[in-house]
């Protein structure tokens, strides 16, 4: 009898896994259920669709359901929502939204790739029409419509993280009057406050009204309520983080851990035999702290999906984990971070030395040399680099990859200082900003 | 009695060392002799001065002789050429060009930082006025004058390496009719020919006439002679590589090795007690092959100078060597390389697997996504990454730093594939081009 793999979720992790499994086993029946109309779409592209950088929403779709069916014989069923998993019987219950029917389907192997969901705290009025999360392409369409129809004079962005920053940029570029509300004392909580302040300064240069220490208390039509007063809004965009969408798995008794994400081993197996998980619904291992963490990022979803698919296809692959790398930008200001911030290093029990240096992205005499600030942390005694944060202009953010690689390798500050990096005046000062940080950090560790 | 450090050469290596030594020992007398009028200048900036990117030659001077004297009490003497070293007596013979006098000065410690010299083969007519090397700021001034005075309609660049490429760009931008002569079968000999061909295609798109397999046989006024005919030239720029300028040291019996560069240990000590060397005149250790190599690059000179200076100042520092990283550009085409090419891997006895992939510098749907080609080599069996080459447009070249770091750490292809690199649509596809190369290389190792 044909063995059947059922995949729940048709985005990055699910479809990467399905593709890898198919590549290795053409005898496998693969059924993928996706509750929405799209597969393999780039949710991270939504802010740039709203901003107008990407003109057609379809451009964000890497591969259509029909392409999966035709080219890879993957039975993708969109508008099909899995409503229950029975791990004992080895079957899923599925609701077909298009035809209003519910059915069950057995599986030999099951991959849970149900993704993440934007955090929507239970505040009065949060379900009002003008309050939008940013997750699906439908969200992107809805938010874009406000801008397109001139109905976004006053935009309130709730949350000063990656999505908040990117949505603020989108509406800055539409000429909206943007207010950003941040419950914490500084924006960009994945950076240390001294680096977050540089990002806030960039927001303020673009005339975003940033209100720190200002949690939202509720919404009324046309207004956002805070302890600090009422703010007029045509549109509210929520950027309050992404939680694992693991309720379905949890209800089926599949164990969950960090922030409610599904527990997996390095092959992406859950503790329940025959059940696998990958992507924004699953945990990751943090390679610096050794802790389990929840990181909702397309790169991680793609890698975990690939690993799950290779294993489901009878191969062997492992996902060694993350070091917490992320990049984003606000207009010309680029932001990168990797490894541990001061707060994270302290929480993990590290004693550390830290520097913050100013440099330029190119040789100081080369046109287009832009300022860049690099902060770097290293463990005292061992000198092991724990993390870095970068805020600067063109050419700044992706330099974080050097540190991400060094952190992964367990390099010391002296190792980093001695790295043989590419140098030419249009690309770098003779001491790359990352090396300048290491050079100044070395005497302190 | 005061101890005296004599430094020969006032550029990157010499002055980095002098500065580091001063920082650690304020009791040391430091005398630095520089035969030219400038100290600490960025020779790598010369092509961009000629192109017009850098308007004032003085901008290439990082620190003037007077600044070294005033701020660091380093007795810099420009237009002073050291003509002999007597390691037995511990003294140098110096010719003061400004005053036409020669004197000797004793040293306790000596640092040889005499730099490199452009290769000038002994061809008929090579000393004609219109044939220029690219090394000192005076060379830059002389070459720039041709462009500025409209005397560069026909420019012949001899050699298709880094300097050749950069000088070709400079004259493309002045609207000159540029011919590039390359003795080898392809340009950019530090890349493999398949990647070099991409650079040649870029030259040809800019209407540079590239003649491969065409060594120069001589020069006559207004003409360059080759076996393949005569080429009209108002100006000839030599980009035939840089040799260590180690004749002075060799004449004093200081041992030389790779390509005639001065032999040093990891602290930058030569085998002669009390004599140190750093920069373009000295050898480096290649961290992949384990061989001694000569790499004439500002980054290496700065690092070696720093190490020598710390040791001369009574501290302890070592230079672990290079992995052969370099970046450059031709107009919009960026080039990066690190580790071993196929030719180098073969010469070192490695059996390797190799891939070449095409990707984009940003998410495929993001405006400004540019094509990029990545070639990657890994040792068979161990999977250790041996090197990579990148040719592409904006955002391509500096990605080589990821591979340089990975090669330094001894990472395998699978290690690289799993790197947690920064991802956001304006900066990268969800699989960074470097990761795409690793993903495709993995099944082959």
């Amino acid at each position: 009898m044909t063995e059947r793999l059922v995949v729940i979720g048709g985005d990055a992790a699910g479809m990467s896994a399905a593709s890898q499994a198919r590549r290795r086993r053409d005898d496998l029946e693969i059924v993928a259920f996706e509750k929405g109309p799209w597969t393999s779409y780039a949710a991270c592209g939504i802010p740039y669709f709203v901003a107008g950088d990407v003109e057609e929403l379809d451009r964000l779709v890497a591969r259509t359901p029909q392409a999966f069916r035709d080219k890879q014989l993957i039975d993708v069923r969109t508008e099909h929502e899995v409503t229950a998993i029975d791990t004992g019987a080895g079957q899923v219950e599925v609701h077909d939204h298009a035809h209003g029917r519910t059915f069950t389907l057995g599986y030999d192997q099951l991959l849970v790739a149900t993704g993440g969901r934007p955090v929507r705290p239970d505040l009065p009025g949060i379900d009002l029409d003008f309050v939008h999360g940013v997750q699906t392409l439908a969200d992107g369409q809805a938010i874009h419509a406000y801008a397109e129809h001139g109905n976004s004079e006053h935009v309130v962005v709730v949350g000063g993280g990656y999505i908040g920053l990117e949505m603020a940029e989108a509406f800055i570029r539409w000429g909206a009057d943007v207010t950003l509300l941040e419950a914490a004392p500084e924006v960009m909580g994945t950076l240390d406050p001294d680096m977050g302040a540089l990002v806030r300064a960039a927001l303020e240069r673009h005339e975003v009204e940033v209100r720190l220490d200002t949690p939202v208390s509720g919404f009324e039509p046309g207004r956002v309520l805070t302890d600090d007063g009422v703010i007029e809004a045509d549109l509210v965009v929520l950027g309050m983080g992404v939680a694992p969408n693991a309720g379905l798995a949890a209800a089926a008794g599949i164990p969950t851990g960090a922030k409610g994400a599904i527990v997996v081993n390095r092959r992406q197996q859950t503790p329940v035999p025959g059940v696998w998980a990958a992507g924004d619904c699953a945990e990751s291992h943090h390679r610096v702290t050794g802790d389990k963490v929840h990181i909702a990022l397309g790169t991680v979803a793609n890698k975990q999906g690939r690993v799950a698919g290779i294993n489901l296809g009878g191969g062997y692959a492992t996902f060694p984990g993350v070091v917490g790398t992320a990049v984003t930008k606000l207009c010309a200001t680029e932001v990168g971070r990797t490894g541990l911030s001061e707060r994270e290093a302290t929480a993990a029990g590290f004693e550390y030395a830290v520097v913050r240096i100013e440099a330029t992205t190119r040789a100081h005499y080369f046109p287009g040399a832009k300022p860049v600030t690099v902060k770097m942390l290293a463990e005292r005694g061992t000198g092991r680099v724990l993390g870095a944060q970068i805020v600067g202009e063109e050419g700044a953010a992706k330099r974080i990859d050097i540190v991400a690689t060094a952190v992964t390798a367990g390099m010391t500050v002296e190792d980093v200082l001695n790295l043989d990096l590419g140098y030419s005046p249009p690309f770098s000062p003779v001491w790359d900003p990352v090396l300048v940080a290491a050079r100044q950090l070395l005497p302190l560790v």
Side-chain angles (χ1 to χ4, degrees), chain A residues 161-179:
Chain A
Y162 298 94
I163 287 288
L165 208 65
E166 292 162 7
M167 295 306 299
E169 170 175 341
F171 283 99
I172 288 166
R173 291 165 59 192
W174 278 98
D177 165 17
V178 180
T179 303

Side-chain angles (χ1 to χ4, degrees), chain A residues 315-331:
Chain A
Y316 176 71
T318 61
F319 180 66
V322 299
V323 295
T325 312
V327 297
T328 189
K329 75 184 189 75
L330 178 88
C331 303

Side-chain angles (χ1 to χ4, degrees), chain A residues 81 83-84 92-97 99-105:
Chain A
E81 182 171 0
T83 47
V92 293
E93 179 188 275
V94 186
H95 184 73
D96 171 358
H97 286 283
H99 303 91
R101 68 195 177 104
T102 298
F103 61 93
T104 59
L105 187 75

Side-chain angles (χ1 to χ4, degrees), chain A residues 7-309:
Chain A
V7 175
I8 311 177
D11 203 355
M15 298 319 292
S16 291
S19 298
Q20 285 289 345
R22 168 59 72 231
R23 188 177 301 187
R24 292 173 168 261
R25 284 191 58 184
D26 54 12
D27 64 313
L28 196 64
E29 181 186 347
I30 306 178
V31 183
F33 295 113
E34 164 56 43
K35 70 180 171 183
W38 293 281
T39 48
S40 289
Y41 60 90
C44 13
I46 292 172
Y48 305 101
F49 168 70
V50 173
D53 288 317
V54 180
E55 291 193 4
E56 299 289 329
L57 203 59
D58 287 350
R59 296 269 294 149
L60 300 185
V61 177
R63 183 165 280 195
T64 62
Q66 198 57 48
F68 281 112
R69 287 180 207 119
D70 294 348
K71 295 185 183 162
Q72 299 181 276
L73 297 176
I74 294 168
D75 181 5
V76 179
R77 305 195 202 167
T78 53
E79 322 248 14
H80 280 63
E81 182 171 0
V82 174
T83 47
I85 302 168
D86 183 340
T87 61
Q91 62 183 33
V92 293
E93 179 188 275
V94 186
H95 184 73
D96 171 358
H97 286 283
H99 303 91
R101 68 195 177 104
T102 298
F103 61 93
T104 59
L105 187 75
Y107 64 76
D108 297 290
Q109 302 287 332
L110 177 70
L111 175 67
V112 183
T114 42
R117 55 184 171 74
V119 172
R120 282 181 87 90
D122 188 20
L123 293 170
I126 192 139
D127 292 325
L128 286 169
D129 278 352
F130 80 130
V131 180
H132 290 270
V134 184
Q135 185 201 24
T136 66
L137 297 188
D139 295 332
Q141 269 175 323
I143 296 170
H144 186 258
Y146 279 82
E148 202 173 31
H149 301 141
N151 191 19
S152 61
E153 201 178 329
H154 300 286
V155 175
V156 172
V157 174
V158 184
Y162 298 94
I163 287 288
L165 208 65
E166 292 162 7
M167 295 306 299
E169 170 175 341
F171 283 99
I172 288 166
R173 291 165 59 192
W174 278 98
D177 165 17
V178 180
T179 303
L180 191 148
L181 303 180
E182 171 59 59
E186 189 51 89
V187 299
M188 289 300 290
T190 63
L191 306 182
D192 288 317
D194 57 335
M195 297 296 282
L198 302 178
V199 179
R200 178 166 48 83
L203 283 160
E204 289 168 347
R205 279 197 301 278
H206 288 285
E207 296 181 2
V208 173
E209 189 184 341
V210 180
R211 298 214 195 163
L212 302 175
D213 293 311
T214 307
V216 173
S217 51
F219 306 91
E220 290 175 0
R223 298 148 38 108
V224 179
L225 313 179
T226 77
D227 291 351
D228 194 35
V230 165
I231 303 156
E232 200 183 336
D234 302 308
L235 166 67
V236 176
V237 179
L238 301 179
M240 302 176 78
V242 175
N245 187 26
L248 179 70
I254 300 166
T256 57
K259 293 196 181 162
I262 301 169
V263 171
V264 287
N265 65 14
R266 63 189 60 235
R267 293 185 76 179
Q268 302 300 133
Q269 289 174 299
T270 76
V272 178
V275 181
W276 307 66
D280 290 2
C281 63
E283 284 185 344
S284 290
H285 170 79
H286 197 295
R287 299 175 79 165
V288 183
T289 62
D291 294 334
K292 296 300 173 189
V293 290
H294 177 244
I295 303 267
L297 260 181
T299 42
V300 176
N302 270 278
K303 287 193 182 105
Q304 289 189 349
R306 175 186 165 277
V307 165

